[in-house]
Amino acid sequence: MNLENKEKQPPSLYDKVMKTIEVVMLEYKEGDKKEYLKSKLSNIYDEEISNIIINNIPNEFFAGEKEIKPTKEVKDKEVHTYYNENTLLTLTQVENRISKSLRKNYDISKEKITKVKSSKKWKTLIKLGIVIPSLYLTYLILENKTGDKRDKELPKKEIDSRKIKEEPINNENTLVSQTRFNIEVYNSLSEEGRMVYQYFATENPTPNKGYQFLDKDSAFLYMFDKDNNLIAKDTAGFGETQGDKMNTSSDKSNEEVTTTPAGVYIISKSATEEDQEEYGKLQFSLFGKSILGEESNLGEHQTWPNELKVRTEKLRTTTPNDNNFSHGCINISEENFTRDILPHFNGDNSELLFVLRDKKSRKDGNIFDVASLIKQITPLMIDLINQEEEIYENLNLQSSKNIKKYLENIALLNNDYNTATKRYEKDTKNISLQKNIENIKKEILVNKELIGKERAVISGREK
């Protein structure tokens, strides 16, 4: 971890604990402050870690005023007043508390403490005057050790951050579970790719749904599952025209523009009959909003059959410079679409695909903001989902009507079967009656099979 470049790092565990405590205590009204905080933390972290957190918070924190808030401004910059007006600790006093706690309780040498103290990160430990060195400082030290193995066993008294509960914290002001963030994946992405990845790690805007984003600079399409795990990154083709001007390739009355505008798109399984014939199941429609605020409807599908050989060769080259070859749709090889996209995405209008800016878009000064894009696309997403629900309900209603009709047919056929059987018992030599009975039995079986198919269709829709 680069201690000098905080902006490019993910939120630290220390920051998350600070935020948790801040939010919890803002809800505090009366009673024993220490017990209140302990009970709340136990619902978020396990009991062992909660106790360590509580034990490392100075007693002054729990005395005096009920709320955590800064007092009046103090001219002396070396004084932080985050407990109450009666308790002022200088930075030196707090640093000494941290150092003593690290040496005594966590078996960390004075040399390592001095090394971290010299970095810019030390003063972040003073925020709110709360001392939780085991959760953050130990992490920094382990990340910056030289000559030691990364997988060396932690001292017994140190906190193993892997013990922290994986459930998301049910509070909109707190961060989502750490299990949704992978530092290696994060560091492998472009700047805007990191924005999308981190937003889904912390905000989880489409719960239990995966998402994708296209990085036109590298010509890679990234796919993530519902838990924010990277499924795959596959080479992709996209619009031959750079920038975010609205795509008009399907409107022959205007000048044709073959862009894949940066923005956010809803992944939908709806497709025209023409596209269904051309791409079969290996396709999705994309209904989106560009970063210019314009509606942009494209497609995501297997490599266009009419130029399969040429486009496949371009997808296989090592350079991304020849991947802008389509009329605007995102092209993926048949193999990759079958393996990486189809099993993980349903196209039920609740999954999103982002297109990141290209060089022209950045040069034009267009802004890529994940939260804003999601806010813009949400009404359209809700509308499409409602339409889908309405279609779903109508189809199920029709299936239910069909099942009722088949059951009525079976009831009538059973009556005919009973009548024919009684007549046949009196006239066993009547061959026509015998054939009639066999035909009735076959019709009953056919109606039962039709009921089974309708029920299977309903079950498939529910899934």
Side-chain angles (χ1 to χ4, degrees):
M1 173 178 284
N2 181 5
L3 296 178
E4 302 300 322
N5 197 348
K6 184 177 180 181
E7 288 73 17
K8 292 190 177 180
Q9 296 177 27
S12 68
L13 178 55
Y14 173 84
D15 292 332
K16 295 179 182 181
V17 174
M18 293 298 99
K19 186 66 176 175
T20 300
I21 292 175
E22 183 179 11
V23 170
V24 167
M25 295 312 297
L26 285 174
E27 299 170 351
Y28 172 74
K29 293 180 180 179
E30 58 184 12
D32 188 318
K33 187 186 287 188
K34 190 170 186 176
E35 287 302 317
Y36 178 84
L37 181 59
K38 185 176 179 180
S39 65
K40 292 295 182 180
L41 290 178
S42 297
N43 294 330
I44 300 168
Y45 308 98
D46 63 34
E47 186 175 355
E48 179 184 356
I49 292 177
S50 299
N51 286 332
I52 293 173
I53 292 172
I54 294 293
N55 291 336
N56 277 282
I57 299 176
N59 289 330
E60 291 89 342
F61 176 81
F62 300 105
E65 301 294 330
K66 294 179 180 179
E67 295 181 350
I68 305 173
K69 58 183 179 181
T71 62
K72 59 187 178 181
E73 291 185 10
V74 181
K75 292 181 180 179
D76 182 2
K77 293 183 179 178
E78 286 295 293
V79 177
H80 283 236
T81 58
Y82 284 92
Y83 305 136
N84 54 58
E85 292 186 4
N86 300 320
T87 306
L88 304 179
L89 295 183
T90 64
L91 285 175
T92 302
Q93 288 174 314
V94 177
E95 285 181 1
N96 288 339
R97 283 175 179 242
I98 295 173
S99 301
K100 184 178 179 181
S101 178
L102 288 172
R103 290 198 304 271
K104 181 179 178 181
N105 299 321
Y106 302 98
D107 301 325
I108 298 175
S109 68
K110 186 176 180 180
E111 291 74 19
K112 288 180 179 179
I113 294 172
T114 303
K115 179 180 178 182
V116 177
K117 282 178 69 174
S118 65
S119 76
K120 293 180 181 179
K121 290 290 182 177
W122 180 259
K123 291 186 179 180
T124 64
L125 290 168
I126 315 304
K127 185 180 179 183
L128 295 180
I130 301 172
V131 183
I132 309 180
S134 57
L135 286 174
Y136 182 65
L137 196 67
T138 304
Y139 172 73
L140 290 177
I141 291 169
L142 292 174
E143 284 293 312
N144 287 276
K145 287 194 297 183
T146 55
D148 295 341
K149 292 183 179 179
R150 282 288 181 93
D151 58 353
K152 186 177 180 181
E153 186 177 352
L154 298 176
K156 292 182 180 179
K157 292 184 179 181
E158 292 184 25
I159 295 175
D160 184 353
S161 62
R162 289 167 293 185
K163 290 182 180 179
I164 294 178
K165 292 184 178 180
E166 297 183 356
E167 300 87 22
I169 301 169
N170 295 321
N171 189 314
E172 63 183 7
N173 294 319
T174 55
L175 294 173
V176 177
S177 172
Q178 283 180 280
T179 56
R180 293 179 59 82
F181 195 99
N182 183 307
I183 186 63
E184 292 182 3
V185 172
Y186 176 84
N187 287 334
S188 70
L189 305 175
S190 65
E191 183 178 353
E192 287 174 17
R194 290 179 180 181
M195 290 181 192
V196 177
Y197 178 76
Q198 186 162 334
Y199 191 87
F200 273 79
T202 58
E203 302 300 327
N204 196 15
T206 54
N208 298 315
K209 299 292 179 179
Y211 67 97
Q212 307 174 29
F213 67 77
L214 172 66
D215 186 338
K216 290 190 282 186
D217 286 346
S218 64
F220 277 123
L221 179 71
Y222 291 80
M223 289 140 281
F224 296 85
D225 66 15
K226 63 183 179 64
D227 297 316
N228 213 34
N229 298 314
L230 179 63
I231 297 169
K233 66 172 186 177
D234 293 329
T235 307
F238 43 88
E240 60 186 1
T241 306
Q242 284 199 345
D244 307 313
K245 191 174 180 181
M246 186 172 65
N247 185 290
T248 59
S249 60
S250 61
D251 185 358
K252 303 303 179 183
S253 62
N254 294 324
E255 181 183 354
E256 189 171 294
V257 179
T258 55
T259 54
T260 305
V264 61
Y265 296 80
I266 299 165
I267 303 173
S268 174
K269 62 176 174 285
S270 64
T272 63
E273 291 184 8
E274 182 182 352
D275 285 342
Q276 287 176 4
E277 290 178 7
E278 203 155 30
Y279 305 111
K281 292 184 178 180
L282 303 184
Q283 65 167 321
F284 288 118
S285 294
L286 301 175
F287 302 111
K289 282 273 190 177
S290 76
I291 58 177
L292 300 180
E294 298 175 328
E295 288 192 7
S296 184
N297 301 333
L298 304 171
E300 178 185 39
H301 52 68
Q302 64 174 315
T303 313
W304 193 35
N306 292 10
E307 291 183 2
L308 181 60
K309 184 177 180 180
V310 175
R311 294 190 177 192
T312 299
E313 288 176 359
K314 289 181 177 180
L315 288 175
R316 288 176 178 171
T317 61
T318 56
T319 174
N321 297 332
D322 58 354
N323 286 57
N324 54 328
F325 53 66
S326 80
H327 293 170
C329 293
I330 299 172
N331 282 221
I332 312 293
S333 71
E334 179 182 357
E335 178 187 1
N336 290 343
F337 205 108
T338 303
R339 182 190 64 216
D340 300 329
I341 297 180
L342 214 55
H344 302 284
F345 294 90
N346 299 317
D348 60 0
N349 302 309
S350 62
E351 301 157 328
L352 297 177
L353 182 151
F354 295 82
V355 175
L356 310 185
R357 295 179 301 173
D358 56 25
K359 293 177 182 177
K360 185 179 187 310
S361 180
R362 293 193 293 272
K363 186 178 179 181
D364 291 342
N366 298 334
I367 298 173
F368 184 90
D369 183 88
V370 184
S372 176
L373 288 170
I374 290 177
K375 186 176 180 180
Q376 291 181 56
I377 202 67
T378 299
L380 178 58
M381 183 185 293
I382 293 172
D383 186 44
L384 289 173
I385 290 173
N386 287 339
Q387 290 180 29
E388 188 79 15
E389 285 294 321
E390 188 176 347
I391 293 170
Y392 166 82
E393 289 175 4
N394 288 337
L395 289 173
N396 276 359
L397 181 61
Q398 185 59 51
S399 293
S400 298
K401 288 180 178 178
N402 290 341
I403 291 172
K404 184 179 179 181
K405 181 181 70 176
Y406 300 143
L407 288 171
E408 289 173 351
N409 289 344
I410 290 173
L412 292 173
L413 289 168
N414 278 329
N415 288 333
D416 293 343
Y417 177 80
N418 291 332
T419 301
T421 301
K422 288 178 181 178
R423 288 177 60 193
Y424 183 70
E425 287 175 354
K426 295 178 181 179
D427 187 5
T428 55
K429 295 181 180 180
N430 192 329
I431 297 175
S432 62
L433 270 176
Q434 187 179 7
K435 287 183 178 180
N436 187 34
I437 290 172
E438 291 299 321
N439 288 335
I440 292 172
K441 288 170 67 176
K442 287 179 181 179
E443 284 189 56
I444 291 173
L445 184 61
V446 167
N447 277 270
K448 286 182 177 180
E449 289 176 350
L450 289 171
I451 290 172
K453 288 180 180 179
E454 289 290 351
R455 285 176 175 165
V457 168
I458 291 174
S459 177
R461 291 193 195 113
E462 290 174 349
K463 290 180 181 178

